[in-house]
Amino acid sequence: MEIGHAAVAITRLQDYCPPAYLVDSVALDVDIRDGVTTVTSSLSLRRNPASADATVMTFNGEGLLLRTLALDDVVLDSDRYHYENGLLTVEGLPEACTLTSVVDIEPEKNTALEGLYQSNGMYCTQCEAEGFRHITFFPDRPDVLARFTTTVRADKARYPLLLSNGNPVAWGEEEEGGSGRHWVTWEDPFPKPCYLFALVAGDLACLEDTFMTVSGRKVALRLYAEHRDLDKLDHAMASLKNAMRWDEQVYGREYDLDIYMIVAVSHFNMGAMENKGLNIFNTSCVLAHPSTTTDAGFQRVESVVAHEYFHNWSGNRVTCRDWFQLSLKEGFTVFRDQQFSADMNSAAVQRVENVDFLVNHQFPEDQGPMAHAVRPEEYQKIDNFYTLTIYEKGAEIVRMQYHLLGAENFRKATDHYFEANDGKAVTCDDFVASMEAVSGRDLGQFKRWYSQAGTPVLTVTDEYREGQYHLTFRQHTPATPGQEDKQPLVIPIRLALLDDQGAPCALDANGQGEQVIIVDQAQETVSFAVPEGVTPSLLRGFSAPVVLDYDYTQAQLARLLAYDSDGYCRWNAAQRLYFAALDRLVVEPGEADAEAAALVPVLEQVIARSDEDPAQAALLLTLPSEVALGDRHTPLNPASIHLAHRAMKRALGKALQSHWLSLAENLLATELSMDGRAMGRRQLRNLALDFLAAGEHDEAAGLAVELFELPLCMSEELGALKVLVHHDLPGADQALAQFAERWQDEALVMDQWFAVQATVPGEQTVDRVNGLLEHPAFDWKTPNRVRALVGTFTNGNPSAFHAESGAGYRLFAQALSRLDAINPQVAARLANGAARLPRLEPQRRERLAEVLADVQKNSSGNVAEVLGRILSS
Ligand code: B3K
Ligand code: ZN
């Protein structure tokens, strides 16, 4: 198939073949000079006994200028090999040999940020998934594990720091007459796939500490950033040490090298990368200081630092056989980082935040044109498959196994998994096999969760008959692109039945108030001997990633919200109450005050209890987003969704005015604390201020300005700025100017400045964003900046993006084309913002389809794949 001018190659799981040759070791010499970097690589090759292929071997290589190729030190004639379309094929290889290549690359011109590139004057790498082929020739696939020795050479004054994976084993100055150049050789004793290779050359500041492992080995911890950011590394260091200790205690996993390094980089396509011993991080996921970083930012740093650290075992020591198995490392590692964050913070709040993210972002993905299985069958560009389905749904699948086995057996199973597969490249089946081996359970049907795309809908009905309460569960997974027929899944349902006082009824003879029902048929009924009139508390803890369809009454939801001991069920009850009211307003506008009035008594209860856990109260009091509301209405008219949402917020702002005011005033802190409770209070306070402004209260502007003028930390400052700007309060423009003036030299803070403006609701924001694209601080080559402006506009501002005039779509399309020429990976991710196209009302749908078809004509393979799926749905 031909899309645009890019021939699209499809990679299929069923075509997997082991490599013809293995690489036992690789010696790299990376000679960095202005404009050109020369990479010499010597691969020790050995025929793979597991492969039937003959003596021909292919090596990946993209955009490499090949200078020489030698086999066992003899330069090869050009008829022994050919290099085209990203593949170097060498014929007539002996059983064992050394292949040496010398290539030139141009990292300075690399704006795709894949392979070796430059960021603010330093050199760094990103190799997952297929970046290593932009550095040198190699079988760039995760099942080829080699021992790496890497020598990095560069000018000493400008690049005093030369890093790679493992431990430094030799270093020195280059002779050639005081050239000012130096070199360092690093050796990584652990065989690894090339996607875990990393290299850094730069002039960086270092925060150093040590960690004593459980067996008494001392590990040097080194966090590197630009000199100006040295004071922003303490939180990452504390998080790293907590993660190292936690993984020893909870999973029995000890760190295995003498050094663990993290380098902060301003130009990065994603959050961070788990390269062996040398993580490379987007500055946004490692730098944190109360004056420049929000509380959410602090939590993100903690979880991403932990996530990358946990990969050392779940990903690096045990890696993936092929990229179809990506969730083997990502789903498992997300589950591990979620457990860690739950242990470090409020577990109930963490769970709700994880579920909120899943249902509001992964569910739509799984229900739209991009739906794919956690272990997909095929892909065009693997970079497009670093999705919420692989990560977040993958984590839920691991979580279900955790609960099916219980904590103790799960730990035995992960021990089994790590021990049986250490140093190997394995599959999701191997993971489940360890679960089965330890528990004796047959997880055959359970594994459908890996292969079946789409969100299952679990419909629950109940009746009271013959003195018993009967619950009937029906499951159905709607068809997804390329997967029409769905089979029943194994769905664990944790439940309780609350009596009219909200207390859990005894469900069995032992008086247990909670049970787990495992549904694995299309339809099943279970019965309980409980009194009439119970309220079912279903899917407690969000025990399975399904859409729960049960016809709750308003009174039942109020009861769950008030009394349920399960944090998820309380939150879900609140969401259902909001959605029911908002849905009615979408259809019948004008009733907002009545809808709000009906909610007041239940919300007053939440507010009255808010001091117990302010963060949880904030979650309960947060309305579902406009995007989430829109996802419930097909055909989607974002303008009417916006009106309903705004009316509801305004009505709640007014109806609970005195509460918002007292929360906004009483939660004001006098000194800065970064503990969970203080963060929760700030979150609740910002929310109260936002409602106060939505209800047009006279004091809103004054309170916001006051907070903005004298904030204790960035969460306060940004919270106040957002309220001023989003509600267009007096002082908004001045605050924006002041903020930019104050933070012009802090890139991550300026990202927030762009994002606040890009998310002002309403069509007029299109012009504003067009203006900001011309702002001197806007830069197409910095992914964080592009995401802050264009990404938040597209994904977080539906009333502007879907402006009736089509101006938002034109902005989006122009941005996509422009970005695609610079950085196809980031452009493709942005393109996902159009995934709701098939659900749009006809006029908008046509407009959007038209501009996207234009973009697609000249797009890269990455963008073409995403737009192809969206446009053909
Ligand atoms: N493993 C990396 C993701 C790499 C994405 C490449 N396009 C970060 C992580 O999940 O830990
Ligand atoms: Zn990961």
Side-chain angles (χ1 to χ4, degrees):
M1 186 173 53
E2 194 84 12
I3 290 182
H5 55 235
V8 177
I10 296 181
T11 308
R12 294 191 172 83
L13 172 58
Q14 66 186 42
D15 295 341
Y16 173 82
C17 281
Y21 278 75
L22 301 173
V23 183
D24 286 325
S25 63
V26 43
L28 285 179
D29 184 295
V30 183
D31 189 19
I32 298 173
R33 291 169 193 268
D34 287 338
V36 176
T37 290
T38 302
V39 182
T40 305
S41 129
S42 287
L43 309 180
S44 301
L45 301 170
R46 172 168 55 88
R47 272 212 56 186
N48 183 3
S51 164
D53 286 1
T55 54
V56 180
M57 175 66 181
T58 52
F59 302 85
N60 304 95
E62 290 286 344
L64 309 175
L65 178 69
L66 177 56
R67 306 193 75 88
T68 51
L69 190 65
L71 187 63
D72 291 326
D73 291 332
V74 180
V75 173
L76 280 179
D77 289 342
S78 56
D79 60 351
R80 287 283 302 281
Y81 67 88
H82 58 272
Y83 175 36
E84 61 181 352
N85 294 332
L87 279 183
L88 172 73
T89 307
V90 187
E91 289 174 24
L93 290 178
E95 281 287 304
C97 55
T98 301
L99 186 75
T100 305
S101 66
V102 181
V103 304
D104 284 348
I105 54 177
E106 296 177 304
E108 287 84 350
K109 293 191 182 156
N110 180 353
T111 57
L113 314 184
E114 188 187 16
L116 179 66
Y117 64 94
Q118 234 186 353
S119 169
N120 289 357
M122 78 168 106
Y123 289 87
C124 60
T125 53
Q126 171 54 35
C127 293
E128 188 178 358
E130 297 177 337
F132 194 68
R133 61 185 63 181
H134 296 263
I135 297 175
T136 186
F137 290 108
F138 203 80
D140 191 353
R141 41 187 293 167
D143 58 351
V144 173
L145 282 76
R147 282 197 178 76
F148 279 69
T149 303
T150 306
T151 300
V152 190
R153 305 167 188 278
D155 179 79
K156 189 171 184 178
R158 286 186 292 153
Y159 309 103
L161 193 72
L162 304 175
L163 308 176
S164 191
N165 316 84
N167 304 308
V169 290
W171 47 88
E173 317 261 318
E174 275 184 6
E175 300 306 323
E176 37 174 284
S179 64
R181 293 174 58 80
H182 71 144
W183 57 272
V184 179
T185 299
W186 292 78
E187 214 171 76
D188 182 356
F190 292 95
K192 65 168 178 290
C194 65
Y195 83 84
L196 291 171
F197 170 80
L199 172 164
V200 170
D203 179 2
L204 301 170
C206 178
L207 177 70
E208 182 143 16
D209 206 333
T210 56
F211 180 83
M212 193 64 81
T213 71
V214 64
S215 71
R217 282 187 312 102
K218 196 162 145 190
V219 179
L221 309 178
R222 296 188 190 136
L223 271 47
Y224 295 98
E226 288 180 31
H227 291 277
R228 41 170 301 139
D229 292 323
L230 182 60
D231 65 341
K232 302 188 186 86
L233 292 170
D234 297 321
H235 181 59
M237 183 64 89
S239 303
L240 175 61
K241 289 159 82 175
N242 285 339
M244 295 178 87
R245 189 62 73 216
W246 186 91
D247 213 17
E248 291 182 346
Q249 289 168 350
V250 179
Y251 279 87
R253 300 294 114 199
E254 188 176 342
Y255 187 61
D256 50 13
L257 284 166
D258 300 335
I259 314 178
Y260 191 85
M261 297 174 282
I262 295 180
V263 178
V265 173
S266 297
H267 296 78
F268 208 67
N269 285 350
M270 333 80 53
M273 180 62 213
E274 69 263 26
N275 316 299
K276 184 77 187 186
L278 176 56
N279 287 187
I280 297 183
F281 269 59
N282 188 323
T283 45
S284 71
C285 293
V286 60
L287 303 182
H289 189 283
S291 65
T292 51
T293 312
T294 62
D295 297 340
F298 266 76
Q299 302 225 330
R300 179 154 169 76
V301 167
E302 180 181 71
S303 88
V304 179
V305 166
H307 179 99
E308 306 311 332
Y309 174 73
F310 298 152
H311 268 315
N312 189 54
W313 276 95
S314 48
N316 300 3
R317 288 287 287 257
V318 181
T319 194
C320 302
R321 186 193 73 171
D322 52 69
W323 292 121
F324 297 100
Q325 319 298 330
L326 181 56
S327 194
L328 172 72
K329 74 178 178 78
E330 295 306 346
F332 185 23
T333 305
V334 170
F335 173 66
R336 277 150 57 66
D337 85 52
Q338 289 179 350
Q339 284 182 300
F340 168 75
S341 292
D343 284 354
M344 296 295 125
N345 304 283
S346 153
V349 168
Q350 290 294 321
R351 184 63 187 142
V352 170
E353 286 176 352
N354 297 155
V355 176
D356 187 351
F357 188 60
L358 184 89
V359 302
N360 285 312
H361 299 277
Q362 193 274 328
F363 277 15
E365 177 175 283
D366 222 358
Q367 295 163 10
M370 301 306 294
H372 58 272
V374 166
R375 185 180 48 205
E377 302 282 327
E378 57 179 51
Y379 58 75
Q380 293 174 20
K381 290 284 175 187
I382 186 56
D383 301 304
N384 288 340
F385 278 82
Y386 284 74
T387 61
L388 298 171
T389 298
I390 301 290
Y391 277 69
E392 308 299 321
K393 185 175 180 180
E396 293 302 318
I397 295 176
V398 175
R399 183 180 294 270
M400 284 190 282
Q401 295 176 72
Y402 171 89
H403 285 296
L404 286 173
L405 266 70
E408 202 176 309
N409 266 345
F410 183 79
R411 166 64 196 273
K412 284 188 192 148
T414 56
D415 284 353
H416 181 279
Y417 168 73
F418 287 126
E419 275 145 37
N421 301 305
D422 192 6
K424 296 193 184 139
V426 301
T427 66
C428 298
D429 291 325
D430 294 306
F431 183 83
V432 180
S434 288
M435 301 288 139
E436 290 183 317
V438 163
S439 66
R441 255 176 195 272
D442 176 359
L443 294 171
Q445 185 187 350
F446 180 86
K447 285 208 283 188
R448 286 179 189 157
W449 279 108
Y450 287 97
S451 55
Q452 196 162 284
T455 314
V457 178
L458 181 73
T459 305
V460 184
T461 51
D462 56 354
E463 62 175 331
Y464 200 79
R465 181 167 37 84
E466 292 155 12
Q468 289 223 314
Y469 179 66
H470 306 275
L471 273 173
T472 298
F473 301 99
R474 290 186 190 82
Q475 60 164 307
H476 166 71
T477 304
T480 51
Q483 229 187 32
E484 288 300 315
D485 300 319
K486 307 286 183 179
Q487 306 291 315
L489 295 161
V490 176
I491 303 182
I493 303 162
R494 243 172 85 198
L495 61 84
L497 302 174
L498 306 189
D499 66 20
D500 52 8
Q501 303 300 306
C505 302
L507 299 182
D508 58 20
N510 303 327
Q512 290 292 330
E514 187 178 274
Q515 251 185 36
V516 181
I517 309 289
I518 307 219
V519 168
D520 58 10
Q521 306 296 311
Q523 176 170 340
E524 279 173 53
T525 299
V526 287
S527 308
F528 302 92
V530 291
E532 213 162 341
V534 294
T535 297
S537 165
L538 299 167
L539 224 56
R540 307 187 107 208
F542 198 61
S543 57
V546 300
V547 171
L548 172 67
D549 177 11
Y550 173 81
D551 198 10
Y552 281 108
T553 64
Q554 174 120 354
Q556 286 181 315
L557 292 173
R559 191 176 301 161
L560 288 169
L561 179 53
Y563 303 114
D564 202 327
S565 58
D566 185 78
Y568 158 73
C569 285
R570 285 189 77 199
W571 173 78
N572 185 248
Q575 293 285 300
R576 282 170 189 267
L577 285 166
Y578 295 133
F579 275 132
L582 286 162
D583 287 346
R584 288 188 291 266
L585 287 182
V586 172
V587 185
E588 192 141 352
E591 296 296 320
D593 291 337
E595 292 291 355
L599 288 173
V600 162
V602 265
L603 298 184
E604 279 182 329
Q605 280 188 346
V606 175
I607 293 172
R609 280 174 60 186
S610 63
D611 194 46
E612 285 171 24
D613 185 342
Q616 194 180 29
L619 288 172
L620 294 175
L621 294 167
T622 302
L623 282 184
S625 70
E626 267 181 49
V627 177
L629 179 60
D631 283 345
R632 301 163 63 83
H633 297 267
T634 309
L636 169 61
N637 180 342
S640 53
I641 298 289
H642 175 60
L643 289 179
H645 196 272
R646 197 178 57 182
M648 185 70 190
K649 200 157 162 190
R650 182 171 177 274
L652 282 175
K654 285 189 187 297
L656 292 165
Q657 213 166 51
S658 57
H659 296 287
W660 302 132
L661 186 61
S662 67
L663 286 172
E665 286 175 344
N666 299 342
L667 291 171
L668 193 58
T670 48
E671 59 185 61
L672 178 66
S673 159
M674 297 304 287
D675 67 24
R677 192 170 165 79
M679 289 187 182
R681 286 168 63 96
R682 284 195 283 273
Q683 196 180 346
L684 187 55
R685 184 168 196 281
N686 281 342
L687 183 81
L689 208 49
D690 187 38
F691 268 116
L692 203 60
E696 293 155 11
H697 194 285
D698 288 346
E699 302 222 18
L703 284 166
V705 168
E706 205 176 296
L707 190 63
F708 179 76
E709 292 293 341
L710 280 176
L712 288 173
C713 59
M714 183 44 75
S715 269
E716 292 189 352
E717 188 171 346
L718 193 66
L721 181 73
K722 222 182 254 177
V723 167
L724 289 169
V725 175
H726 283 199
H727 297 282
D728 197 17
L729 298 180
D733 289 342
Q734 203 197 330
L736 272 174
Q738 212 173 304
F739 192 92
E741 169 83 25
R742 199 184 293 168
W743 298 116
Q744 53 186 329
D745 297 327
E746 293 286 345
L748 296 172
V749 184
M750 285 305 286
D751 287 338
Q752 305 278 5
W753 183 80
F754 279 98
V756 165
Q757 296 179 79
T759 48
V760 176
E763 303 203 342
Q764 67 294 344
T765 297
V766 181
D767 290 340
R768 186 174 204 150
V769 174
N770 272 318
L772 287 167
L773 288 170
E774 304 299 322
H775 192 281
F778 183 77
D779 175 17
W780 289 100
K781 290 190 178 150
T782 307
N784 286 355
R785 195 54 51 93
V786 174
R787 285 186 282 253
L789 185 58
V790 191
T792 55
F793 168 77
T794 310
N795 298 305
N797 195 349
S799 59
F801 174 50
H802 299 284
E804 206 171 353
S805 63
Y809 298 155
R810 289 193 291 276
L811 187 166
F812 175 65
Q814 282 160 10
L816 261 188
S817 299
R818 177 129 187 210
L819 187 61
D820 195 24
I822 295 169
N823 189 326
Q825 276 184 35
V826 175
R829 192 147 288 236
L830 191 67
N832 278 295
R836 288 180 175 85
L837 177 136
R839 292 188 36 257
L840 285 171
E841 53 83 16
Q843 193 192 323
R844 286 183 171 84
R845 192 174 62 221
E846 273 161 37
R847 287 218 161 111
L848 182 55
E850 198 178 311
V851 296
L852 292 183
D854 266 353
V855 174
Q856 203 197 13
K857 283 186 201 135
N858 297 307
S859 60
S860 68
N862 293 60
V863 169
E865 179 178 21
V866 175
L867 292 186
R869 287 181 74 132
I870 294 174
L871 287 169
S872 66
S873 60

